[in-house]
Amino acid sequence: MSLIERALQKARESGDAAPTAHERASIGSTPKPSQTPEQHKRTTAAVELPRIAAAPDLTITEAFLREKGLRAPTDQEQQQRAEYRHIKHGLFAEFRNTEMRRLVLVTSALQGDGKSYSAAHLSLSLAVEPDHTILLVDADVIRPNVSRAFGLSDRPGLMDAVGDESMDVQSLIVTTSIEGFSILPAGRPNQNATEYFASARMHEVMEQLLAVPNRIVVVDSLPLLLTTEARALASLAGQILLVVRAEITPQSAVLKALELLGESANVKLLLNAVVHTKALDYLGLGYGYNYYNVEK
């Protein structure tokens, strides 16, 4: 052993030497002594995810989607696909041109405007895009329609992760047989669920979900006028889709919802359940959904 080699060995034994290439390669592969396993799991989760799950937790068939109303009738399916293609292209245009956060908040002024099914439709349409994975988050903890539609009401989810800081939210995500599409259920009922929305822990959980580079997070939120906490997630969203039910949602409710979101919010209106007419055909608009920027 040369003098240089002996000096390096002595330095390593005293703890003063820089790590060797082999030692550097191993850094980060195991939790640091000061980290709990849960903390280490969260810090190493920010890697791109495959679009096809090796063993999906949930098999979703076309028949299932039709049964749940997540596919239009056969004679209207092409039109519905075209409408959601138009919506998602508007969203992607902003994602590509700016450093915008990859979180789309889908909400409404009131209950019954169709935001949950709009969020599901949009997520399934976005999942077709090859460069991203789509995570649909059920954050409507009062009426978790997304969780019910996909048969996930009894699964732990968002509220469990928010209520327990040791829980890794990534482990609660349900992978599906649809390429690029996964779901985070609302989780078990909690009497203080709405209060959690404005908590630091909720923000931490959302940041963990956004840490995956190729993931777009679509959040089905509470209606804005239902609780004061419903708008707490708006500050985390890059884009907000406010679902308005044609001929049903009062104009006053829409204006109040926009006021609550504030002028700085990046809001688009999604007009749901538009009645199909020859006039709309002439204008090039479809039977079900239309999409508008909100003028500030």
Side-chain angles (χ1 to χ4, degrees), residues 112-186:
D113 289 338
K115 63 172 184 58
S116 296
Y117 283 88
S118 296
H121 278 298
L122 177 62
S123 298
L124 291 167
S125 182
L126 287 169
V128 176
E129 299 297 319
D131 297 330
H132 297 86
T133 61
I134 308 303
L135 174 63
L136 174 58
V137 178
D138 189 352
D140 188 342
V141 296
I142 295 178
R143 292 181 178 272
N145 289 322
V146 167
S147 299
R148 291 171 186 160
F150 287 98
L152 302 173
S153 297
D154 60 341
R155 294 284 292 260
L158 178 64
M159 284 298 98
D160 300 272
V162 174
D164 184 353
E165 293 190 6
S166 69
M167 186 169 289
D168 176 23
V169 67
Q170 306 285 3
S171 69
L172 306 179
I173 292 172
V174 177
T175 58
T176 79
S177 57
I178 296 179
E179 182 179 348
F181 176 63
S182 56
I183 305 168
L184 178 63

Side-chain angles (χ1 to χ4, degrees), residues 138-144 157-164 185-203 206 221-222 226-233:
D138 189 352
D140 188 342
V141 296
I142 295 178
R143 292 181 178 272
L158 178 64
M159 284 298 98
D160 300 272
V162 174
D164 184 353
R188 298 182 180 93
N190 186 310
Q191 62 180 357
N192 298 318
T194 57
E195 284 76 9
Y196 278 123
F197 274 75
S199 70
R201 174 60 180 166
M202 176 65 83
H203 282 229
M206 288 297 167
S221 181
L222 290 162
L226 184 62
T227 72
T228 56
E229 293 83 6
R231 60 185 182 274
L233 293 181

